[in-house]
């Protein structure tokens, strides 16, 4: 692929976490029986009219403020006209010429640790469409309009992304942000957060953009990466073979790992946008915008910077721990309860805890290993009651059973031996049992030092304080 | 009680309250007239006799108990584009022939709340697209003054019904003249309120930025009563205005001496029938005699109102009517081959010729490459027309002129050329483009045919318009004339 | 402005309207005349005029509180539907 440059822009669709729909009082809850949450407005009945949900507007403004964009004093809803069974009115209410949010940016961290600023062209409010179902319906398609009218914010990036990895990093960043802002639950399996990727390639050094293809409806980070990589390779192959890229909509097939043309959506793409006469311009004054600003939480980047300065964490660790608000809150609760070593806390949260959660597919908020319990364990490491190695055994016992650190340590007798006399006794015993090795060591076979450490540890059930053991052993062998 | 059908809307309300007659008697009187004249006039699409009599009986019980609202027991009819719960709502279209609305339009609910009793749903041009009632799937309505002539449109059924005294008042809608033009052609009073005064929720949309619900009645006093009960803010309609509804009835008696009347120069053009012009000029003399001061004003951009309208209205209609796709309600073609076939045949079979014409016109003017030249250009000229009105209302209180260029014309006379038909609304469209209220009142006859006088006012000046119309109707008796055979 | 037969067919396709062979020339004629008629707009000087999308100036959109006000009434609403099964509206198979 050398000699080619990849250009990617993402259009991320985030469902806003409102209780009711953007233009009707229907519930937005996921998983209701078909059409149970589709009222007359959602069904596009004759004579009905849309009324805008104020919370959807607040959420869009919140996003705009978080990406330091301009909040439009006046934004306008427009109709995007096309026929499709999941689009009951024959048009989607969206924003076109005057979106509510314009001109923001987000920073992403690249693999080499460099920070890249990704421009966000605009973010606009619109209504989601319903769903078409095919399974178990021979020869027909079933239409469920429960999702129709769910508020979406569409976040359109500049074509600033240069690889699938960058695209994923950006999408993850947006995902983190919308959950911090509590404007989207981020549930990708349920379709609450998904994106379309505009992908093109050009010869390295060229200034003109190549023809792009739009890959629709990517609903996992993995699919985004694979779909883009496939598409880039496809386009380069085409161009290197003397062909041309056609501007079109494509669909990613995760089973085959390829993208293919979506001709059904190509038939009529003259959307005939015009301002929706059923809705008035949305006018937002400074007081409204400031009232939204007052609800902004500490944002991911701000939190990561604070974790760096307050807890002495590396940028990488701070980034991992602030990837979700829940994880960051958990970490801070651990540090509050066991303040002696914030770095140790970070290692445990990112290491043992994350692995255990991952293994059982648990959210950090759902674990019985509460921050207080984990802090109880860390305190025993800090005060040298147990060694780091044994702490892992304690953690496992705490995870599978219900007991706290102290109880596990007491029950299993894992308390570390820090009494020098006791350690010395154990060393002497090992020496007397292994006179041959002792003689070899003294004759110059230094490597046997490890052997003695192991034997003493074995004799003490691993409980000897390693630092003390080393020191005493060296003294006795050297003496 | 043979004259009960001449009682009028306000008269019926007062008579019921005084218990001079019962609501059941009243309903029965009008139902019989509706049924007797249905074949001749074709004014109704549905007559809801059983429900009407049961509602009337309930109204009588309420009246006996001393309860009830301003219209308790008063019979009315709804134009068949107001959604009525549990009652077929067709919009005059084959595509909604089997459509039973699961909800009431706000206007319907408000009039129900005021106690009115619905007798049925009136005929109309399909989706309100027409000026003659000839585009209805349910056949042409005939003018009670002469059954060979059109009643006007699109609210032709409501207008013919009121003119023939089949009902004392009916709801109607006006997108480009659809209340005022049939009022003029049928010799009755028709009021189109300010855009946003009456909720559009439950009114099947034709052109959303122009549509406004209103009333057709015998007199301005009746219109004042009916409007008062149906106007007002509706949280279900984002374009309805949060503004108090004045008591139009109480304000009817205000004097009009000193009223500054503007004669709209552009309305007295070469298209105006000399007979109509004479009647309008005579009416202006009456206003002078009542103390009004006349001045001529000019709205230079007004002649472009019909071209503006025939871009904006079809554009909005092409989008509004996209929902009729044979999936969730309405006509669906037999045995669709595939999805596109389902759409194309259901819509092709379900819509009539004029509706298809407007959908295609609107589709074209919004499509890529034409949007700026047609749609945006029209909306800019609309701004100019609106500014013309604003300027005029800086120096006059109301504008007065003819409602239509000619009296009622023959059925079939203007169906060949859509432009000829469209030009019938040349004097009425301006008020829709600018969202202004306007009323048409009868002002005499040309031959045996009634002529309408139009009064246009600034936004939310309905009280002023009704007061002026009422003063005129106290000085004249044109509005009390009944077509031969319907006395 | 004379529209061609192909233009009429493509407008009808965009609007999802089946036209019979006899209808096409009728619309070709009347749409051409309508476009000529509205062509009069070209003459108006609108250089510095903003388009007017709404008849009442100065109003802005009201915001609704975020509350759920609707119940499940799909059985009632689907009484108007030509074809349903298991709560779903049915259409001919859509292939993507």
């Amino acid at each position: 692929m050398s000699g080619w440059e990849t250009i990617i822009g993402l259009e991320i669709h985030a469902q806003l976490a409102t209780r009711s729909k953007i233009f009707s009082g229907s519930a937005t809850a996921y998983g209701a029986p078909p059409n149970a949450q589709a009222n007359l407005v959602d069904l596009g009945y004759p004579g009905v009219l849309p009324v805008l949900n104020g919370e959807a507007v607040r959420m869009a403004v919140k996003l705009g403020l978080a990406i330091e964009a301009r909040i439009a004093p006046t934004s306008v809803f427009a109709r995007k006209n096309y026929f499709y069974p999941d689009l009951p009115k024959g048009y989607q209410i969206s924003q076109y010429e005057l979106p509510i949010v314009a001109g923001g940016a987000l920073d992403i961290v690249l693999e080499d640790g460099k920070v890249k600023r990704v421009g966000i062209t605009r973010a606009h409010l619109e209504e989601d469409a319903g769903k078409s179902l095919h399974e178990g319906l021979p020869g027909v398609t079933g239409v469920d309009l429960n999702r129709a009218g769910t508020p979406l914010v569409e976040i359109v990036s500049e074509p600033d992304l240069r690889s699938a990895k960058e695209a994923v990093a950006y999408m993850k960043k947006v995902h983190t942000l919308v959950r911090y802002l509590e404007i989207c639950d981020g549930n990708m399996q349920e379709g609450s957060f998904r994106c379309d990727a505009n992908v093109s390639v050009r010869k390295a050094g060229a200034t003109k953009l190549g023809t792009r293809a739009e890959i629709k409806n990517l609903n996992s980070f993995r699919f985004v990466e694979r779909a883009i990589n496939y598409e880039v390779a496809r386009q380069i192959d085409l161009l290197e073979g003397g062909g041309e890229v056609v501007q079109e909509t494509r669909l990613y097939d995760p089973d085959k790992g390829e993208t293919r043309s979506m001709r059904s959506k190509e038939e009529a793409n003259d959307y005939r946008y015009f301002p929706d006469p059923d809705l008035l311009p949305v006018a937002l004054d400074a007081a409204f915008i400031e009232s939204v600003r007052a609800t902004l939480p500490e944002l991911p980047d701000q939190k990561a910077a604070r974790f760096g300065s307050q807890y002495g964490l590396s940028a990488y660790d701070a980034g991992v721990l602030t990837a979700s608000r829940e994880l960051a809150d958990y970490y801070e609760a651990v540090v509050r309860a066991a303040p002696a070593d914030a770095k140790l806390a970070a290692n445990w949260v990112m290491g043992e805890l994350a692995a255990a959660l991952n293994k059982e597919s648990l959210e950090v908020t759902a674990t019985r290993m509460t921050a207080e319990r984990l802090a109880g364990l860390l305190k025993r490491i800090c005060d040298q009651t147990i060694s780091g190695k044994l702490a892992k055994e304690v953690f496992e016992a705490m995870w599978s059973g219900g007991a706290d650190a102290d109880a596990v340590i007491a029950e299993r007798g894992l308390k570390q031996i820090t009494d020098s006399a006791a350690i010395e006794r154990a060393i002497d015993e090992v020496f007397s049992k292994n006179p041959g090795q002792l003689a070899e060591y003294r004759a110059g076979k230094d490597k046997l030092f490890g052997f003695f450490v192991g034997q003493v540890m074995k004799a003490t059930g691993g409980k000897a304080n390693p630092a003390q053991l080393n020191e005493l052993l060296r003294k006795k062998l050297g003496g | 009680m043979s004259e009960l059908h001449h009682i009028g809307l306000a008269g019926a309300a007062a008579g019921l309250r005084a218990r001079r007659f019962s609501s059941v008697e009243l309903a029965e009187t009008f139902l019989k007239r509706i049924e007797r004249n249905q074949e001749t006039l074709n004014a109704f699409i549905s007559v809801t006799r059983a429900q009407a009599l049961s509602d009337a009986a309930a109204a009588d019980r309420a009246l006996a108990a001393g309860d009830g609202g301003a219209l308790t027991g008063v019979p009315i009819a709804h134009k068949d584009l107001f959604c009525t719960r549990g009652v077929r709502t067709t919009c005059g279209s084959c595509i909604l022939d089997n459509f039973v609305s699961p909800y009431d339009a706000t206007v319907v609910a408000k009039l129900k709340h005021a106690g009115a009793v619905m007798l049925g749903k009136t005929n109309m041009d399909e989706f309100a697209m027409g000026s003659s009632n000839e585009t209805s799937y349910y056949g042409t309505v005939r003018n009670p003054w002469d059954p060979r002539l059109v009643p006007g449109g699109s609210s032709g059924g409501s207008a013919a019904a009121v003119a023939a005294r089949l009902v004392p008042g009916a709801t109607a809608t006006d997108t480009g003249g659809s209340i005022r033009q049939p009022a003029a052609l049928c010799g009755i009073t028709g009021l189109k309120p300010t855009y946003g005064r009456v909720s559009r929720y439950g009114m099947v949309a034709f052109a959303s930025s122009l549509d406004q619900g209103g009333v057709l009645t015998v007199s301005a006093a009746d219109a004042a009563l009916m409007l008062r009960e149906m106007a007002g803010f509706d949280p279900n309609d984002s374009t309805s205005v949060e503004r108090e509804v004045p008591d139009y009835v109480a304000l009817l008696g205000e004097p009009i001496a000193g009223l500054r009347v503007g004669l709209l120069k552009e309305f007295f053009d070469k298209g105006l029938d000399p007979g109509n012009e004479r009647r309008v000029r005579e009416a202006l003399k009456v206003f002078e005699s009542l103390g009004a001061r006349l001045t001529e004003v000019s709205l230079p951009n007004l002649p472009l109102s019909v071209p503006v309208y025939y871009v904006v209205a079809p554009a909005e209609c092409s989008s509004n009517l996209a929902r009729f796709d044979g999936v969730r309600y309405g006509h669906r073609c037999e045995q669709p081959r595939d999805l596109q076939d389902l759409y194309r045949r259901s819509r092709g079979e379900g819509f009539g010729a004029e509706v298809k014409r407007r959908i295609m016109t609107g589709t074209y003017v919004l499509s890529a490459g034409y949007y700026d030249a047609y749609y945006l250009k029209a909306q800019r000229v609309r701004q100019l027309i609106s500014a013309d009105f604003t300027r005029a209302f800086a120096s006059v209180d109301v504008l007065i002129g003819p409602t239509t260029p000619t009296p009622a014309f023959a059925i079939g006379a203007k169906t060949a050329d859509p432009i000829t038909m469209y030009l019938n609304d040349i004097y009425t469209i301006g008020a829709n483009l600018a969202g202004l209220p306007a009323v048409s009142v009868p002002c005499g006859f040309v031959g045996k045919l009634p002529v309408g006088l139009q009064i246009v006012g600034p936004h939310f000046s309905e009280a002023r318009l009704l007061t002026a119309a009422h003063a005129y109707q106290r000085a004249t008796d044109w509005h009390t004339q009944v077509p031969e055979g319907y006395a | 402005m004379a529209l061609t037969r192909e233009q009429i067919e493509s407008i009808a396709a965009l609007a999802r309207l089946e036209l019979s062979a006899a209808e096409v020339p009728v619309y070709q004629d009347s749409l051409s005349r309508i476009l000529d008629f509205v062509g009069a707009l070209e003459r108006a000087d609108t250089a510095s005029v903003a388009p007017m999308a709404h008849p009442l100036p100065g109003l802005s959109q009201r915001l609704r509180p975020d509350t759920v006000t609707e119940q499940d009434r799909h059985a009632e609403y689907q009484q108007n539907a030509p074809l349903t099964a298991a709560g779903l509206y049915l259409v001919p198979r859509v292939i993507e």
Side-chain angles (χ1 to χ4, degrees):
Chain A
M1 303 207 188
S2 64
W4 293 93
E5 187 183 26
T6 302
I7 311 284
I8 303 160
L10 293 189
E11 294 168 13
I12 294 175
H13 292 86
Q15 274 184 4
L16 295 175
T18 54
R19 284 185 284 272
S20 65
K21 292 190 178 174
I22 184 166
F23 298 119
S24 86
S26 298
T28 54
Y30 182 83
N35 291 303
Q37 289 175 177
N39 82 339
L40 297 171
V41 173
D42 313 319
L43 294 170
Y45 251 67
V48 296
L49 296 168
V51 185
L52 181 59
N53 185 338
E55 195 55 31
V57 174
R58 295 188 78 86
M59 287 178 173
V61 170
K62 209 170 171 182
L63 172 75
L65 293 172
I67 58 170
E68 292 171 6
R70 294 188 302 278
I71 308 301
T74 302
S75 62
V76 169
F77 282 98
R79 294 184 182 179
K80 179 180 183 181
N81 295 284
Y82 65 95
F83 287 87
Y84 209 69
D86 64 13
L87 188 71
K89 298 185 295 297
Y91 58 84
Q92 179 194 29
I93 305 178
S94 182
Q95 296 189 309
Y96 188 54
E97 284 182 340
L98 292 170
I100 188 163
V101 168
L106 270 183
D107 290 341
I108 57 170
V109 181
L110 304 182
E111 279 182 315
D112 61 6
K114 284 202 184 108
V115 172
K116 172 169 182 162
R117 174 148 283 219
V118 180
I120 294 175
T121 319
R122 58 185 279 163
H124 64 254
L125 282 165
E126 63 183 23
E127 56 180 344
D128 208 344
K131 279 183 187 162
S132 299
L133 308 164
H134 312 287
E135 267 164 51
L137 298 164
V140 294
T141 290
V143 183
D144 175 7
L145 297 170
N146 282 344
R147 200 178 68 176
T150 300
L152 289 179
V153 63
E154 179 175 332
I155 306 159
V156 182
S157 84
E158 292 286 319
D160 286 350
L161 302 160
R162 291 291 173 272
S163 69
K165 282 212 155 46
E166 285 187 25
V168 170
Y170 165 75
M171 192 178 178
K172 281 187 172 163
K173 190 66 184 276
V174 176
H175 189 248
T176 295
L177 182 65
V178 295
R179 284 180 306 141
Y180 261 69
L181 297 173
E182 294 178 318
I183 62 172
C184 174
D185 67 16
N187 190 323
M188 298 175 80
Q189 279 86 45
E190 293 177 4
S192 303
F193 190 86
R194 53 192 200 262
C195 87
D196 303 338
N198 287 302
V199 179
S200 66
V201 298
R202 66 181 171 196
K203 281 272 188 205
T207 48
K208 199 165 161 273
L209 288 175
T211 307
R212 66 188 161 85
E214 182 179 13
I215 314 169
K216 283 275 183 199
N217 260 331
L218 297 163
N219 66 348
S220 88
F221 298 122
R222 209 168 57 234
F223 292 170
V224 168
E225 183 164 352
R226 289 181 186 170
I228 291 174
N229 282 334
Y230 176 88
E231 182 59 22
V232 168
R234 186 188 73 89
Q235 291 188 11
I236 292 173
D237 270 2
L238 256 178
L239 294 169
E240 286 186 341
E244 272 185 24
V245 175
V246 184
Q247 181 161 347
E248 63 178 350
T249 304
R250 298 180 71 85
L251 196 67
Y252 177 66
D253 181 339
D255 298 329
K256 293 185 181 156
E258 59 186 38
T259 66
R260 61 183 155 81
S261 184
M262 257 174 105
R263 284 190 190 84
S264 59
K265 290 247 176 181
E266 292 297 298
E267 275 180 17
N269 53 3
D270 187 346
Y271 292 130
R272 291 159 286 140
Y273 281 100
F274 74 105
D276 190 334
D278 287 334
L279 291 160
L280 299 170
V282 180
L284 302 178
D285 58 19
F288 181 91
I289 292 167
E290 289 317 306
S291 78
V292 177
R293 197 190 299 278
T295 67
L296 280 181
E298 184 181 33
L299 298 175
D301 286 352
Q302 296 165 343
K303 205 184 272 287
R306 179 168 64 79
F307 278 20
S309 57
Q310 186 173 344
Y311 304 123
L313 303 182
S314 70
Y316 177 81
D317 289 358
V320 172
L321 288 172
T322 55
S324 89
R325 198 163 157 178
E326 292 75 19
L327 186 65
D329 287 349
Y330 182 95
Y331 170 71
E332 291 212 276
V334 173
V335 175
R336 262 197 308 280
D341 192 342
K343 174 67 186 153
L344 180 75
N347 290 343
W348 275 84
V349 170
M350 295 188 300
E352 295 300 308
L353 180 79
L357 289 173
N358 199 27
K359 208 165 143 194
E360 297 186 21
S361 298
L362 282 178
E363 295 294 325
V364 71
T365 46
T367 175
R368 286 172 300 146
M369 183 64 79
T370 61
E372 287 66 31
R373 292 184 67 210
L374 180 61
L377 173 61
L378 299 187
K379 277 192 267 188
R380 294 299 158 261
I381 301 173
C382 291
D383 68 10
Q384 302 206 333
T385 304
I386 51 170
S387 66
K389 194 166 178 221
L390 282 178
K392 289 182 182 171
E393 186 187 333
V394 178
F395 179 90
E396 263 166 43
M398 290 170 73
W399 182 267
S400 47
D404 286 345
D406 287 341
V408 174
I409 293 165
E411 186 194 331
R412 301 197 175 192
L414 298 176
K415 197 167 160 23
Q416 191 165 238
I417 303 168
T418 50
D419 174 1
S420 298
I423 297 172
E424 276 183 62
R425 270 197 304 280
I427 292 171
D428 292 342
E429 233 167 89
V430 167
F431 283 176
S432 63
K433 277 183 188 162
N434 300 284
Q437 280 85 352
L438 188 62
E440 280 179 51
Y441 183 86
R442 294 217 156 111
K445 202 170 177 187
D446 290 355
K447 278 184 196 157
L448 282 170
F449 188 81
F451 166 78
F452 292 114
V453 172
Q455 289 302 307
V456 176
M457 276 298 184
K458 198 174 166 193
T460 59
K463 290 180 288 183
N465 179 295
Q468 275 176 291
L469 170 59
N470 271 326
E471 195 192 324
L472 291 169
L473 191 59
R474 207 171 294 277
K475 205 157 77 187
K476 277 181 180 287
L477 285 168
Chain B
M1 279 296 161
S2 64
E3 298 299 298
L4 210 48
H5 58 276
H6 290 305
I7 194 99
L9 195 88
L16 284 163
R17 262 196 308 280
R19 323 242 34 232
R20 285 204 298 278
F21 39 79
S22 73
S23 178
V24 170
E25 268 177 274
L26 207 52
E28 193 59 67
T29 301
F30 284 109
L31 284 168
K32 279 198 183 116
R33 289 180 68 82
I34 290 170
E35 285 151 3
R36 199 186 314 133
N37 292 294
Q38 179 59 17
E39 206 176 317
T40 336
L41 296 177
N42 194 28
F44 281 77
I45 290 174
S46 303
V47 180
T48 50
R49 169 176 266 278
Q51 187 62 49
L53 289 175
S54 134
D55 291 348
D60 283 332
R61 288 193 293 277
L63 288 161
D67 297 340
L71 294 174
T72 297
V74 176
I76 58 161
H78 287 299
K79 184 177 182 178
D80 207 18
L81 64 53
F82 286 96
C83 285
T84 44
R85 179 169 189 159
V87 175
R88 192 166 72 129
T89 300
T90 69
C91 272
S93 180
C94 168
I95 212 161
L96 285 179
D97 187 44
N98 58 3
F99 178 73
V100 176
S101 173
Y103 76 109
D104 275 334
T106 299
V107 161
V108 171
K110 278 184 160 253
L111 288 170
K112 226 179 229 182
H113 180 76
V117 172
M118 178 181 80
L119 303 185
K121 310 285 297 283
T122 58
N123 203 345
M124 54 182 284
D125 278 301
E126 185 180 2
F127 284 104
M129 297 173 200
S131 308
S132 65
N133 230 295
E134 292 165 289
T135 72
S136 171
Y137 175 66
Y138 301 93
T140 303
V141 178
R142 287 174 198 83
N143 193 316
W145 294 91
D146 181 341
R148 294 167 301 180
L149 308 184
V150 303
S154 66
S155 312
S158 285
V162 172
R165 306 301 191 258
L166 309 186
V167 69
T171 55
T173 61
D174 192 316
T175 305
S178 283
I179 291 176
R180 292 158 288 156
Q181 185 254 16
L185 269 43
C186 288
I188 60 168
T189 302
L191 176 81
K192 172 211 135 22
T194 308
Y195 184 86
R197 178 79 287 186
V198 169
S199 169
R200 292 188 298 116
Y201 186 78
M203 247 171 70
V204 181
F206 159 17
S208 312
S209 78
L210 302 161
D211 294 343
Q212 181 62 198
V215 298
L216 284 162
T217 53
V218 169
S219 68
D222 286 357
L225 174 59
M226 195 161 166
L227 179 67
R228 187 186 71 189
E229 299 307 315
M230 64 191 246
F233 170 69
D234 177 6
N236 287 326
D237 176 0
S238 299
T239 62
S240 86
V241 178
E242 274 185 280
R243 189 178 168 121
E244 206 187 325
V245 178
D247 186 346
Y248 301 118
V249 178
L251 294 167
L252 280 174
E254 299 280 308
I256 66 159
L259 186 75
R260 297 172 301 167
V261 171
L263 253 71
L264 208 45
K265 193 177 134 217
E266 284 74 16
F267 277 9
F268 295 89
D269 60 2
K270 60 181 182 340
L272 181 60
D273 180 282
N276 280 46
E277 178 165 0
R278 265 196 299 281
R279 297 293 90 84
V280 171
R281 296 220 182 260
E282 286 160 15
L284 286 164
K285 290 226 158 45
V286 175
F287 275 99
E288 272 190 308
S289 74
L290 294 170
R293 298 201 311 266
L294 270 50
T295 49
E296 189 172 271
V297 296
S298 171
L299 276 68
N301 294 292
L302 197 60
L304 286 173
S305 61
V306 185
V308 169
Y309 180 85
Y310 279 96
V311 172
V312 174
E316 292 182 5
C317 119
S318 70
S319 176
N320 282 334
L321 270 58
R323 68 189 60 200
F324 300 100
D325 59 6
V327 177
R328 295 162 318 285
Y329 47 76
H331 176 75
R332 180 186 184 110
C333 68
E334 297 285 341
Q335 303 291 327
R337 286 190 311 277
D338 54 29
L339 181 69
Q340 297 311 323
D341 188 46
L342 167 74
Y343 285 153
R344 296 181 59 145
R345 277 202 290 134
S346 298
R347 291 166 58 77
E349 294 162 7
F351 291 133
E354 181 61 25
V355 171
K356 281 190 256 192
R357 182 171 6 256
R358 297 207 195 182
I359 290 174
M360 286 197 287
T361 306
T363 302
Y364 183 79
V365 299
L366 288 176
S367 62
Y370 302 100
Y371 179 83
D372 288 8
Y374 289 104
Y375 179 79
L376 266 193
K377 181 76 183 182
Q379 293 289 42
R380 290 184 208 279
V381 179
R382 183 180 183 181
Q383 189 83 270
L384 291 176
I385 293 169
S386 178
D388 277 1
F389 275 110
T390 306
R391 237 186 332 271
F393 286 124
S395 58
V396 299
D397 299 314
V398 295
L399 295 164
I400 296 191
T403 307
T404 61
T406 66
F409 47 90
I411 292 169
K414 298 188 180 188
T415 44
D417 177 17
I419 310 289
T420 317
M421 185 69 87
Y422 296 172
L423 285 170
N424 217 262
D425 294 329
I426 190 157
Y427 305 139
T428 48
I429 281 173
N432 299 86
L433 295 178
L436 302 169
V439 64
S440 178
V441 292
C443 67
F445 292 83
V446 170
K448 286 183 169 178
L449 300 176
V451 172
L453 178 82
Q454 184 179 207
I455 315 174
V456 185
H459 292 137
F460 299 102
S461 66
E462 287 83 359
R464 189 188 301 166
L465 299 185
L466 287 164
T467 303
H470 182 64
Y472 175 74
Q473 290 183 340
R474 281 201 302 190
T476 59
D477 66 352
W478 304 117
H479 64 291
T480 65
Q481 308 292 312
V482 181
E484 207 180 303
Y486 299 94
Chain C
M1 167 118 208
L3 293 173
T4 63
R5 189 184 173 89
E6 289 68 37
Q7 279 176 300
I8 292 295
E9 280 164 353
S10 93
I11 297 165
L14 196 52
R16 302 294 189 275
L17 291 170
E18 179 101 331
L19 299 184
S20 67
E23 282 176 296
V24 174
V26 173
Y27 289 118
Q28 205 182 328
D29 172 63
S30 61
L31 257 69
S32 298
R33 280 198 279 160
I34 290 167
L35 293 177
D36 278 341
F37 175 68
V38 302
L41 295 173
E42 265 177 49
R43 295 199 301 270
D45 178 8
T46 55
S48 55
V49 184
M52 177 172 166
H54 192 269
L56 297 180
L59 293 181
S60 58
Q61 178 61 36
R62 203 173 50 254
L63 301 180
R64 176 176 63 80
D66 180 26
T67 45
V68 175
T69 55
E70 299 289 323
Q71 319 273 305
D72 176 9
R73 285 172 64 193
H74 80 275
E76 183 189 351
Y77 298 156
Q78 292 190 349
Q79 282 172 15
N80 277 314
L83 196 59
T84 60
L88 298 165
Y89 294 93
L90 299 186
V91 296
R93 188 66 175 237
V94 179
I95 312 135
E96 278 188 344

